[in-house]
Amino acid sequence: MRPVRIELQGFSAFREPTVIDLTDTELFALVGPTGAGKSSVIDAMVFALYGAVPRYGSENLVHPVITQGAVEARVRLDFLVGGVVHTATRVVRRTKTGASTKEARLERQVAPDEPTEVLADDAKALTTAVVGLLGLDLEQFTKCVVLPQGAFATLLHDTKAKRQDLLVKLLDLGVYERVATAARAEVKRIGFRLESLDEQLAHAAGATTEAVADVAAHVVAVDGIVRSLDQATPVLAARADELARIDRDLDDHRRMLSLLDGVSIPTDIADLADQALRARAAADAAAASETEQADRVTQAVKGRDALPDPADLVRVRDDHIRLAELEAAVAKGAELVTALEEAGRERAATFEVAEGEHAEAVAARDRVRIAHAAADLGRHLHVGDDCPVCGNEVAELPLVDVAAVESADAAVDAAEARVRQARTELAERAAKLADYRARLDVRTTERDAVLERLRDVRPVAEIEADLASIAAADAEVAAARSADTVARRDAAQARAAVEAAAAQMAAARTGFMATRDRLAALEPPVTTDDLAADWSALAGWAAQQTDEVRRRADAASQRRTQLAAEQAASHEQLIEQAAAAGLVVRSFEGLRDACVAEAASARVRHDRLVADLARADGLRSERDQFIERRQVHDLLADSLGARGFEAWLLDEALAVLLDGASTWLEQLSSGRYAMAVDDKNQFAVVDHANADELRLARTLSGGETFLASLALALALAERVSELSAVGGTTLDAIFLDEGFGTLDPDTLDVVATAIEELGATGRMVGVISHVRELAERVPVRFEISKVPGTSTVRRVET
């Protein structure tokens, strides 16, 4: 994996859009002051790939990456995997409870002219796809590729279990675990099959020659019962048909009796005709009243239509009232205009007097200033100044009558104030006079217009009389319409009463016909136009029919009792025969089906016993074969377990990693240290300068820890392809983000040389440091600077 281009916006210190182009870059350094955003560049790359920032301590803690005051942070990373360009884009947005990283996308472009292919379109799918592409999860990536602040020595100090997890991932040892898992699954499947075979053998245990003979005899007995049932069936069926016919006749008799018992003459039949006559008379009277009130409405409306429109009369009356108001307003306005004109003349006189006084005060002031010109000029001079008149140096200041000059100035100021006040009052009076004159003109114009409209109009008294006549006519129309509404309602109610009476008569006739129709099969009497007479004839006829129907029902009931006893005796005899054959049947209705089913079931049992006898030997042979296969798969699962072949491979991979790390550490430490593991499989160093003493990695100083961690990281990055099971995990880049400031100058020089050599092998190496000596040796520097509100990046090549 090799980064090509990083785009940031709103991410940590980078508020504004920022691009870091790593194209054709092998060895580079991110430099800048503390807090400028050096580590944030690496954080952005890790966030784009895995959606997390390791140095925050939690994969779910991402909202701190959003620039303060911003709503969202956006990161895009273009990187190469196997020569193919991939683009990972993530957006983190603020929420009420933290942040959301749902918006994410991973694309792939095989060739420049081909369209991109979307590999993932949400955050979870993007992380899963990246793990599949790189063969490393977040924790392993930060141990092999990106070593962020605070995590540089993580791999060195990791437990054996975590270190083995990383090597298992790199070696793709999961394939052996999958084979072992498949073997264990096959053992389990074979166990299920053996259980099934044992169950089948257990079921076949009862298959004996004696059992086959017993089932055959039972089949013969049940078949005999079926033959007996078939012989008795015609007699039983004929008897059952006669019982069914008698039951139908009894049901008919009961139904007829129920219908005949329900015939009774309604109590209100005699009153229905009288109610209909009374309703018709009331309807005729209501109709006459309705016609009379309609004629009254017509006459009232004609009288009202003969009168004029009241709206025109109201407008004329309102004009008379408005004319009186306007006459009063015009007279009042003329008085106000006269008063304002007189006040304006008084203010003009006052203004003339004030202007005269002002002129006199100005003349007096000028005379004082002329008399004291030199003294007045001297007020602004000091001894030693140049005289503005002659140019000579002032040796002595002239005496000044300050009081006289100030008194004259004050008199002029007071006169000017009086002039301003008089001018203001004169302007106010003039404006007010113009306003009142304009209002007077409006009122006068409006009055003249009203006078013109009223030139040929009748007096107000006549108009008021007409309006009173119109109001009376309107009241008469309203009263007539109200009475008409009442008459219409009463007529409608009377018609409804007539219809209700007719409906009652129709319903009574319908009820009678329904009762008679239910008895149609018995031929009831014919109907007439007299409903009461029809009911009387039907009731008498129903009483006669009831006695005859009861006599026929009693005879049928006696015959049914005799037949039922005969049928029950036949059924009991056949049921006892079935019980003797071992069948338990509670009713005769299911006897034949039970016997047929039992015979079929017995034949099936017989056939199954015969088949089980023949199949038992085959099942035992198959069981022996499966037991042998289970032993083979048990051995395979044990051999490929974590303590078998996998443990050997892990030891070999660790030896390869230690060999590379020792080479780097000896070079970085000038031959003093080599990498090793102790008897507990913990990382340690061999101190050649101290009699090859074995020291645990946790006992090293800060600088020594840095060198050992760097050696281990460089070895892992250098040999990850060699360790990978299929060579698919190619880490073409490594990024170092801490520790250089703790190195002395000699060690720093050794480390810088090692990093230069690593960058020259074709692998991208990125260094984050504020150590100038190291940064100046790197061919490409990205200088990160803080400016108001954001940080900027500038590429510098040496």
Side-chain angles (χ1 to χ4, degrees):
M1 191 284 293
R2 176 186 289 264
V4 176
R5 190 171 186 269
I6 305 174
E7 293 183 13
L8 311 170
Q9 182 176 359
F11 191 93
S12 189
F14 300 95
R15 180 183 297 274
E16 302 301 327
T18 303
V19 176
I20 301 174
D21 192 349
L22 300 175
T23 305
D24 299 329
T25 302
E26 301 295 337
L27 178 59
F28 67 90
L30 296 172
V31 298
T34 300
K38 300 186 298 297
S39 297
S40 297
V41 174
I42 305 302
D43 291 342
M45 180 174 62
V46 178
F47 176 74
L49 293 173
Y50 294 96
V53 180
R55 64 188 176 115
Y56 290 153
S58 172
E59 292 188 15
N60 297 323
L61 184 64
V62 294
H63 70 271
V65 304
I66 304 176
T67 303
Q68 291 186 356
V71 176
E72 67 176 26
R74 184 179 297 271
V75 178
R76 168 178 171 160
L77 172 66
D78 296 340
F79 60 98
L80 292 173
V81 175
V84 178
V85 177
H86 293 71
T87 299
T89 305
R90 289 188 193 261
V91 178
V92 53
R93 290 189 176 91
R94 291 191 190 277
T95 63
K96 294 181 179 180
T97 58
S100 170
T101 59
K102 294 181 180 179
E103 184 175 340
R105 190 179 184 88
L106 178 64
E107 299 173 281
R108 173 174 64 188
Q109 186 173 29
V110 178
D113 296 333
E114 294 183 4
T116 59
E117 176 187 359
V118 178
L119 302 181
D121 58 1
D122 60 51
K124 185 176 181 180
L126 172 53
T127 303
T128 302
V130 166
V131 172
L133 277 173
L134 306 186
L136 301 173
D137 59 21
L138 174 62
E139 182 179 3
Q140 295 159 350
F141 187 80
T142 55
K143 293 175 181 177
C144 300
V145 181
V146 175
L147 303 179
Q149 288 185 4
F152 196 76
T154 302
L155 182 60
L156 182 67
H157 295 155
D158 257 348
T159 63
K160 176 182 177 182
K162 290 186 176 181
R163 186 169 69 244
Q164 286 183 341
D165 287 342
L166 174 62
L167 293 177
V168 166
K169 189 72 174 181
L170 294 175
L171 291 169
D172 194 19
L173 296 184
V175 66
Y176 303 111
E177 176 58 27
R178 290 192 294 272
V179 172
T181 301
R184 286 190 290 271
E186 181 64 13
V187 169
K188 189 174 182 180
R189 190 188 68 80
I190 292 172
F192 291 148
R193 180 57 180 162
L194 287 173
E195 290 178 1
S196 175
L197 291 173
D198 289 339
E199 289 178 359
Q200 293 179 57
L201 287 171
H203 290 316
T208 63
T209 304
E210 293 78 7
V212 171
D214 290 342
V215 173
H218 182 64
V219 170
V220 172
V222 175
D223 285 341
I225 298 173
V226 172
R227 285 192 299 272
S228 297
L229 284 169
D230 291 340
Q231 292 172 358
T233 294
V235 176
L236 295 174
R239 192 181 294 146
D241 289 342
E242 187 176 358
L243 284 170
R245 181 184 58 76
I246 293 174
D247 287 339
R248 289 194 297 272
D249 291 343
L250 288 173
D251 289 340
D252 290 340
H253 295 331
R254 283 192 291 270
R255 184 169 59 256
M256 289 179 185
L257 289 173
S258 176
L259 292 174
L260 291 170
D261 290 342
V263 176
S264 61
I265 302 174
T267 57
D268 58 348
I269 289 297
D271 296 333
L272 290 179
D274 292 341
Q275 292 177 3
L277 291 174
R278 289 194 299 271
R280 171 53 61 188
D284 293 341
S289 176
E290 182 180 16
T291 302
E292 179 183 353
Q293 295 302 326
D295 293 340
R296 178 185 173 189
V297 171
T298 301
Q299 294 300 322
V301 170
K302 287 182 179 179
R304 174 62 186 84
D305 292 343
L307 295 175
D309 187 354
D312 296 336
L313 297 176
V314 171
R315 284 195 295 272
V316 173
R317 182 185 63 185
D318 292 344
D319 280 345
H320 278 290
I321 296 172
R322 181 60 179 162
L323 179 61
E325 295 174 350
L326 291 172
E327 290 287 1
V330 168
K332 181 65 174 179
E335 293 177 1
L336 289 173
V337 168
T338 301
L340 288 171
E341 288 175 344
E342 179 61 28
R345 286 192 290 273
E346 292 176 359
R347 293 295 184 273
T350 302
F351 178 69
E352 291 176 358
V353 171
E355 283 188 329
E357 293 176 351
H358 177 262
E360 292 177 1
V362 169
R365 182 193 63 188
D366 292 343
R367 288 193 296 272
V368 172
R369 284 184 175 177
I370 291 171
H372 299 278
D376 183 58
L377 182 62
R379 288 189 304 167
H380 308 289
L381 296 177
H382 302 83
V383 176
D385 293 343
D386 292 334
C387 179
V389 179
C390 62
N392 296 326
E393 182 179 343
V394 177
E396 182 180 359
L397 296 176
L399 296 176
V400 180
D401 189 352
V402 177
V405 174
E406 292 179 349
S407 177
D409 289 341
V412 171
D413 293 340
E416 287 179 347
R418 288 193 294 275
V419 169
R420 285 193 300 273
Q421 181 179 0
R423 182 181 291 111
T424 301
E425 292 176 353
L426 182 61
E428 291 175 352
R429 291 293 175 180
K432 195 170 185 179
L433 178 60
D435 178 53
Y436 275 92
R437 281 176 175 169
R439 295 183 185 181
L440 180 59
D441 290 343
V442 172
R443 297 292 187 274
T444 302
T445 300
E446 187 177 356
R447 180 199 63 186
D448 294 343
V450 175
L451 281 172
E452 182 63 27
R453 288 198 303 272
L454 296 176
R455 186 178 300 281
D456 299 323
V457 175
R458 292 184 299 158
V460 176
E462 295 180 6
I463 293 172
E464 292 290 353
D466 290 344
L467 288 173
S469 298
I470 292 170
D474 288 340
E476 174 60 21
V477 171
R481 284 176 174 165
S482 177
D484 180 63
T485 300
V486 173
R488 289 176 184 274
R489 183 194 62 208
D490 292 343
Q493 291 176 350
R495 287 191 293 272
V498 172
E499 294 175 356
Q504 288 178 345
M505 286 295 293
R509 172 60 71 176
T510 300
F512 169 78
M513 293 305 296
T515 301
R516 185 182 182 281
D517 290 344
R518 289 196 296 273
L519 301 171
L522 302 178
E523 298 182 357
V526 297
T527 60
T528 66
D529 293 335
D530 188 344
L531 182 60
D534 289 344
W535 267 113
S536 178
L538 184 64
W541 170 85
Q544 294 175 359
Q545 292 295 319
T546 299
D547 294 339
E548 178 62 22
V549 172
R550 282 181 179 151
R551 184 187 63 76
R552 292 198 299 268
D554 291 341
S557 180
Q558 292 174 2
R559 175 58 180 164
R560 189 190 187 288
T561 301
Q562 177 186 353
L563 290 174
E566 295 173 357
Q567 193 80 330
S570 298
H571 290 173
E572 184 66 26
Q573 181 181 359
L574 291 170
I575 290 175
E576 290 176 355
Q577 185 179 352
L583 275 74
V584 178
V585 181
R586 299 185 182 278
S587 64
F588 178 78
E589 285 73 15
L591 179 58
R592 189 180 191 284
D593 292 339
C595 289
V596 171
E598 177 61 23
S601 175
R603 288 187 179 91
V604 171
R605 291 198 300 274
H606 177 270
D607 295 342
R608 186 170 59 244
L609 288 171
V610 172
D612 288 345
L613 282 174
R615 191 159 49 95
D617 291 339
L619 291 175
R620 294 185 182 92
S621 176
E622 184 179 0
R623 184 177 183 277
D624 294 339
Q625 294 175 6
F626 274 111
I627 290 175
E628 183 178 353
R629 289 186 59 188
R630 183 171 62 180
Q631 293 172 349
V632 173
H633 284 85
D634 271 335
L635 178 60
L636 181 61
D638 291 341
S639 299
L640 294 180
R643 296 183 180 181
F645 185 64
E646 179 181 307
W648 177 82
L649 282 179
L650 288 174
D651 290 341
E652 291 298 311
L654 182 61
V656 172
L657 185 60
L658 282 175
D659 180 64
S662 292
T663 301
W664 278 107
L665 183 58
E666 288 181 354
Q667 181 180 345
L668 293 173
S669 64
S670 300
R672 178 173 179 177
Y673 296 116
M675 292 295 299
V677 291
D678 66 358
D679 53 357
K680 295 182 180 180
N681 225 8
Q682 300 181 85
F683 277 122
V685 296
V686 177
D687 190 350
H688 294 309
N690 194 16
D692 291 341
E693 178 186 1
L694 188 68
R695 296 172 54 189
L696 286 177
R698 297 185 179 278
T699 65
L700 300 177
S701 65
E704 292 169 337
T705 297
F706 176 83
L707 293 179
S709 301
L710 179 59
L712 189 59
L714 293 176
L716 186 59
E718 185 178 45
R719 302 199 178 188
V720 67
S721 295
E722 178 183 345
L723 291 174
S724 176
V726 295
T729 306
T730 303
L731 304 181
D732 296 329
I734 185 170
F735 302 92
L736 310 176
D737 185 12
E738 72 171 81
F740 300 106
T742 63
L743 305 179
D744 58 71
D746 293 338
T747 304
L748 180 62
D749 180 67
V750 173
V751 170
T753 301
I755 292 175
E756 290 172 349
E757 293 178 357
L758 185 62
T761 63
R763 179 181 288 106
M764 176 183 289
V765 179
V767 177
I768 301 174
S769 178
H770 56 272
V771 178
R772 179 174 297 276
E773 292 80 358
L774 178 61
E776 289 178 349
R777 293 183 58 170
V778 176
V780 177
R781 297 194 304 275
F782 290 96
E783 295 183 350
I784 302 177
S785 305
K786 291 192 291 187
V787 298
T790 187
S791 291
T792 61
V793 179
R794 183 172 68 95
R795 177 171 175 148
V796 178
E797 299 185 10
T798 58

